[in-house]
Amino acid sequence: MDETFDESIQEANQSAVVVGASLSGLMAGIALARSGLHVTILESAGAKPRSGAVLQVDSGDIDRTLTAKALRKLASGGMKSVEAWSSVQSRLRAEAKSHSKIDLRYDTRVQTVNQDNDSAWVMTDKGETFHGDILIGADGHRSTVRRHVAPHNPNATFAGYVIWVAIVDENVIPKEHRPNRNAPRVAMPDGIGDFLLGGIVAGTDGSHDLGHRRLGWAWYDNTQNDLLRRLGCVEGNVVRHSLNATDIPEQTLIELAEQASHRWPQPWLDAILYSIRTRNLTGTPIAEYVPDKLVKGRIAIVGDAAHVPTPLTASGFNASLQDAATLADCVAKGIQGIAATEALLEYESLRLKDVRQIVQSGQSFSRSFGR
Ligand SMILES: Cc1cc2nc3c(=O)[nH]c(=O)nc-3n(C[C@H](O)[C@H](O)[C@H](O)COP(=O)(O)OP(=O)(O)OC[C@H]3O[C@@H](n4cnc5c(N)ncnc54)[C@H](O)[C@@H]3O)c2cc1C
């Protein structure tokens, strides 16, 4: 066990249920287990690794606690700047799977959440019930757990634009267009009206050698809202789901390729055209959520369940990491009886102001860019 994690309640037989096994659920589960709790993590999706584009995993200078530093080292693999989303996820998964205090279950959708004075619990779509001394919602921007914690403010709101994201192997791009060794790892090329963020990350084998790296890109597009509504990705002002590659109409792909050719420089243009040609891209309608509550009794929310900033803030991962570390440090003092609710209230008091500010910092961009 990593000696940088608190083990103060190691001997007590206390437990947590975590809903969601994406980045914030895995980080929360790992931090809580290393604080001594028995943790059950429930994930509605299957065990097949998800893909994603790239994430900024630096900003380690905001890690004030040993738990946060240890989580960052684990999640980022020591990388500074940008990392492939899938690499971060696979490190966290490997850690969660190998931890003796973590029971990680896939294909398990939580349907209802409840609590009394002694415990909190969930019911799943298979009719199973899981109890814990505390329950943590890490179930993303459409959180079920948030409905219990903040029934007066249950939904994240559509920000009025979609982000097309993909990641491609560098070797699919002609050699003359590949970035050189000294190219910046993060790029924001000038476009006409839209925004593009590009990131150069290691290959799937971890190599940063030329020809072995990957290029991740995220294109902010405010012209697809009718399409998103027609396909049910957005209903009213609520985001229902992402637009998977197979569901993107052919005509939309043709138009995207045409716009990209006018807008984006190399190597991003080739990366985008390859993703379009091979239908290896996802449209993510962007939602935002400013919380006024993170906790109710024995139940708390973390990550995108708790706060959804526009990805332009590049802060969702960092905020999720700080949530997990703060939560684990608060509960490490013990969660016997009433101490559970006190520990969660302390978590809320330490995080609420910061996470509200993070979301609000991106809202002026969304108000001017979104439609
Ligand atoms: C396009 C895009 C680009 C981004 N770029 C950046 C960036 O550069 N830097 C950065 O810091 N952040 C970025 N973010 C945000 C960042 O990815 C998230 O903030 C971070 O990964 C935390 O997500 P999460 O784990 O809280 O939620 P999610 O990744 O949404 O995970 C929620 C999990 O809960 C599961 N789940 C949902 N409901 C249930 C249920 N009822 N029962 C069981 N399981 C359930 C889901 O299947 C999912 O696995 C970006 C986000 C997007 C969309």
Side-chain angles (χ1 to χ4, degrees):
M1 175 170 297
D2 191 325
E3 69 284 358
T4 53
F5 277 93
D6 196 328
E7 297 168 32
S8 53
I9 56 173
Q10 190 77 16
E11 297 311 317
N13 199 20
Q14 294 170 348
S15 63
V17 176
V18 177
V19 185
S22 182
L23 305 189
S24 61
L26 290 168
M27 288 193 286
I30 291 165
L32 291 170
R34 292 197 182 196
S35 290
L37 271 69
H38 293 273
V39 180
T40 305
I41 309 181
L42 306 172
E43 167 58 51
S44 56
K48 188 167 168 263
R50 245 171 66 186
S51 64
V54 297
L55 273 179
Q56 235 152 347
V57 291
D58 50 0
S59 302
D61 49 340
I62 59 171
D63 296 337
R64 287 191 206 96
T65 63
L66 290 177
T67 313
K69 287 185 208 302
L71 269 183
R72 182 165 316 270
K73 196 167 147 200
L74 181 64
S76 69
M79 288 294 154
K80 300 252 173 349
S81 190
V82 283
E83 256 287 70
W85 190 94
S86 56
S87 305
V88 177
Q89 189 204 34
S90 84
R91 285 188 203 106
L92 293 171
R93 268 191 183 197
E95 175 68 14
K97 277 185 183 164
S98 66
H99 201 294
S100 60
K101 284 183 179 269
I102 298 181
D103 177 10
L104 176 55
R105 297 182 181 218
Y106 290 98
D107 297 308
T108 307
R109 175 175 293 281
V110 166
Q111 280 187 326
T112 58
V113 172
N114 217 334
Q115 60 181 315
D116 60 20
N117 286 340
D118 302 317
S119 72
W121 64 91
V122 299
M123 277 260 289
T124 73
D125 54 352
K126 295 171 190 147
E128 290 172 293
T129 306
F130 293 88
H131 281 262
D133 291 295
I134 56 172
L135 169 62
I136 308 302
D139 48 344
H141 73 93
R142 295 184 54 221
S143 173
T144 301
V145 182
R146 189 202 291 141
R147 284 174 223 291
H148 179 90
V149 170
H152 56 287
N153 184 20
N155 293 321
T157 309
F158 179 48
Y161 52 96
V162 67
I163 306 185
W164 302 104
V165 292
I167 187 163
V168 303
D169 289 339
E170 176 181 36
N171 66 14
V172 302
I173 290 173
K175 269 197 179 129
E176 63 273 21
H177 291 161
R178 292 182 199 166
N180 64 34
R181 199 178 296 281
N182 301 320
R185 300 279 287 277
V186 183
M188 197 167 170
D190 286 338
I192 311 164
D194 290 0
F195 289 84
L196 182 73
L197 280 174
I200 306 170
V201 298
T204 44
D205 59 356
S207 168
H208 280 279
D209 291 345
L210 295 185
H212 292 263
R213 302 169 299 177
R214 285 175 291 171
L215 303 182
W217 57 268
W219 176 356
Y220 290 60
D221 180 358
N222 59 9
T223 65
Q224 308 291 346
N225 295 357
D226 289 345
L227 175 73
L228 296 173
R229 290 182 193 284
R230 203 166 63 242
L231 297 180
C233 303
V234 176
E235 274 175 37
N237 66 357
V238 177
V239 173
R240 295 289 173 209
H241 57 83
S242 290
L243 179 49
N244 293 323
T246 44
D247 300 326
I248 304 172
E250 193 62 37
Q251 185 58 29
T252 304
L253 292 179
I254 292 169
E255 287 165 14
L256 278 178
E258 206 173 297
Q259 287 166 24
S261 304
H262 293 121
R263 270 180 198 166
W264 309 122
Q266 299 294 4
W268 309 109
L269 174 59
D270 276 348
I272 292 170
L273 293 180
Y274 180 83
S275 307
I276 291 174
R277 224 171 26 248
T278 56
R279 276 193 183 261
N280 158 38
L281 73 168
T282 306
T284 306
I286 296 306
E288 288 177 308
Y289 182 78
V290 184
D292 51 22
K293 231 172 159 326
L294 300 177
V295 165
K296 182 174 179 179
R298 295 175 172 273
I299 303 184
I301 45 179
V302 296
D304 285 6
H307 40 74
V308 193
T310 169
L312 198 74
T313 62
S315 58
F317 167 76
N318 280 316
S320 304
L321 188 152
Q322 301 303 329
D323 292 347
T326 306
L327 180 69
D329 289 344
C330 292
V331 308
K333 295 164 200 156
I335 51 170
Q336 207 82 55
I338 188 85
T341 54
E342 285 167 359
L344 296 192
L345 280 175
E346 188 189 0
Y347 157 73
E348 181 178 67
S349 73
L350 291 170
R351 292 297 296 148
L352 186 58
K353 190 168 160 229
D354 280 3
V355 298
R356 281 176 61 84
Q357 278 173 357
I358 288 169
V359 184
Q360 284 163 343
S361 72
Q363 282 186 316
S364 52
F365 163 77
S366 291
R367 283 193 190 117
S368 62
F369 183 68
R371 290 199 177 153

